[in-house]
Amino acid sequence: MPQSRAASEIEMEEMYDMLIIGAGPAGLTAGLYGSRSNLKTVIIEKGLPGGELLNTEAIEDYTGFEHVTGVELARLMENHARKFGVEIKTLEEVTSVVRRDGAFEVTTSEAKYKALTVIVTAGGTPIKLAVPGEDAYAGRGVSYCAVCDGAFFNGQVITVVGGGDAAVEEANYLTRFGSKVFVVHRRDQFRAQKILQDQLIKNPKVEIIWDTVVDDIKGNAEVDRITLHNRKTDKKWEHPTQGVFIFIGFKPNTYFLEDHPEHDISGHLITNDRMETSIPGLFASGDIRSQLVRQITNAVGDATVAALAAEKYITHLRHIQASGTTPGSPA
Ligand SMILES: Cc1cc2nc3c(=O)[nH]c(=O)nc-3n(C[C@H](O)[C@H](O)[C@H](O)COP(=O)(O)OP(=O)(O)OC[C@H]3O[C@@H](n4cnc5c(N)ncnc54)[C@H](O)[C@@H]3O)c2cc1C
């Protein structure tokens, strides 16, 4: 029967204590703590270790590093995690996670695994405008993170694209850096909460460009202008700007979770303060988690909690297996 064939394939794989999905800052930190606690720990990464760090030119807000490139920080984090013996499998994508008989069966593009706990640190992907110049100028004027990159645009003209809560909130935040902040929105009203809209509209540094979309992003070494296009009048014009902040949505990478843990309206996983999701043994941390800010500092902080809480969960599981008692909550 197909079912028993699948089960025997899985049994051929080793059992891990902790399986971590994604080798960004959160995954590498969870891996460090898992392996340092002597747990059999594996990280599965569909690309290369570093996550969004590999797309980040310069980082100036990770405590202890006044300035570090994303690639360098990724290398340091990977080496540090490997020092404690974590296995890192790269270029291998997790395609399914199912909880069965108190453990997890994890299928990837290459193999099947079993694990007592899974920590999901698969991050998310900002939704792109998909216009010419967007990819070419990423990190050279185009950004998807105001807290990360706002300070690089001190005294310059910033253009925010979007009309939801994130766009309006981040536009408000960016007024502390930009000499002027334009907000380009494809409709004639925002979807954002009224209170955020009121703050934005009252700000003298802000100008809203309604019914308008971005056709392309241009410049030389860095962005210096974008082409705007009014959808109602069909008028097109070049709009000078140094920063283009795009907030049209962020899609958390949860597509491989077959059981559905609780999540917020945007699909980010809801956890308690131990980083436990609503599925026992399934933890989440970093950008995939429902939370106020998405930064490296809190991704690694959350991952520390997740790994240590997973360790307590495993200890508790082993204790109840040994004593034959009924499972309760780990202390
Ligand atoms: C352009 C940019 C600049 C930024 N600058 C800063 C900054 O200056 N300071 C700061 O603090 N923060 C910054 N951030 C935010 C910061 O990078 C994130 O908060 C942080 O990387 C989150 O870490 P994470 O491990 O949760 O997720 P990620 O870094 O997104 O890592 C997730 C990993 O999971 C992998 N993955 C996804 N799906 C699967 C799958 N199915 N199977 C296997 N692997 C999978 C991905 O390939 C990725 O490597 C920036 C973000 C961006 C996009």
Side-chain angles (χ1 to χ4, degrees):
M1 277 159 60
Q3 217 178 358
S4 57
R5 217 170 34 240
S8 65
E9 275 171 31
I10 288 162
E11 277 158 22
M12 280 163 60
E13 295 294 339
E14 284 176 278
M15 170 69 104
Y16 284 92
D17 294 318
M18 189 182 287
L19 184 148
I20 299 158
I21 304 173
L28 290 169
T29 304
L32 182 158
Y33 276 92
S35 50
R36 195 162 182 266
S37 303
N38 275 340
L39 296 174
K40 192 170 165 48
T41 307
V42 64
I43 305 177
I44 301 177
E45 166 57 54
K46 72 176 178 182
L48 295 172
E52 287 295 358
L53 297 184
L54 302 181
N55 300 321
T56 307
E57 270 301 298
I59 296 158
E60 297 187 334
D61 53 7
Y62 187 57
T63 321
F65 292 81
E66 287 181 19
H67 180 101
V68 61
T69 64
V71 169
E72 176 63 358
L73 187 57
R75 189 185 67 80
L76 292 170
M77 285 185 174
E78 179 189 350
N79 289 350
H80 198 175
R82 282 194 193 275
K83 182 183 158 196
F84 294 108
V86 68
E87 262 183 80
I88 305 180
K89 295 183 184 279
T90 56
L91 304 176
E92 185 168 337
E93 180 169 6
V94 172
T95 53
S96 137
V97 176
V98 184
R99 187 169 193 267
R100 198 161 288 148
D101 301 330
F104 292 90
E105 294 174 3
V106 177
T107 307
T108 74
S109 49
E110 309 298 321
K112 287 177 191 281
Y113 302 87
K114 247 184 154 179
L116 287 177
T117 59
V118 168
I119 304 183
V120 189
T121 61
T125 317
I127 297 174
K128 294 191 171 182
L129 287 174
V131 297
E134 183 175 15
D135 287 342
Y137 286 105
R140 296 193 295 132
V142 173
S143 172
Y144 305 87
C145 177
V147 177
C148 315
D149 296 333
F152 295 119
F153 296 90
N154 222 349
Q156 301 189 340
V157 176
I158 294 175
T159 304
V160 170
V161 185
D165 278 355
V168 172
E169 196 166 352
E170 303 297 40
N172 270 320
Y173 174 79
L174 287 165
T175 57
R176 67 185 68 182
F177 305 109
S179 55
K180 176 102 189 168
V181 175
F182 292 90
V183 182
V184 174
H185 184 39
R186 65 202 306 270
R187 304 187 198 287
D188 59 6
Q189 53 184 317
F190 289 128
R191 279 176 289 109
Q193 294 169 53
K194 184 81 173 57
I195 184 165
L196 297 173
Q197 296 189 34
D198 291 346
Q199 278 171 13
L200 188 75
I201 288 160
K202 268 194 252 155
N203 192 312
K205 274 192 181 177
V206 170
E207 188 174 327
I208 299 160
I209 307 177
W210 301 109
D211 298 312
T212 297
V213 293
V214 178
D215 275 358
D216 57 33
I217 299 171
K218 292 178 180 156
N220 289 305
E222 302 196 328
V223 170
D224 59 25
R225 64 198 189 280
I226 58 182
T227 308
L228 296 180
H229 179 181
N230 185 297
R231 297 164 76 223
K232 287 195 173 150
T233 62
D234 220 23
K235 181 184 155 201
K236 290 188 184 188
W237 71 102
E238 287 206 330
H239 168 80
T241 188
Q242 284 82 48
V244 184
F245 283 79
I246 301 165
F247 301 111
I248 56 170
F250 185 87
K251 198 168 166 13
N253 295 322
T254 55
Y255 56 90
F256 43 79
L257 294 174
E258 306 230 343
D259 307 315
H260 293 285
E262 274 177 34
H263 54 80
D264 65 17
I265 194 169
S266 57
H268 291 90
L269 300 179
I270 293 173
T271 68
N272 61 14
D273 60 5
R274 291 173 169 238
M275 305 299 144
E276 292 170 309
T277 68
S278 56
I279 297 177
L282 186 80
F283 298 76
S285 50
D287 279 10
I288 203 159
R289 212 183 131 229
S290 177
Q291 59 184 323
L292 182 63
V293 287
R294 297 199 165 79
Q295 290 282 278
I296 304 164
T297 45
N298 63 317
V300 304
D302 291 354
T304 307
V305 175
L308 297 179
E311 189 270 327
K312 289 194 190 308
Y313 173 91
I314 291 167
T315 305
H316 179 72
L317 210 61
R318 290 198 170 127
H319 175 73
I320 57 173
Q321 276 165 357
S323 64
T325 52
T326 324
S329 282

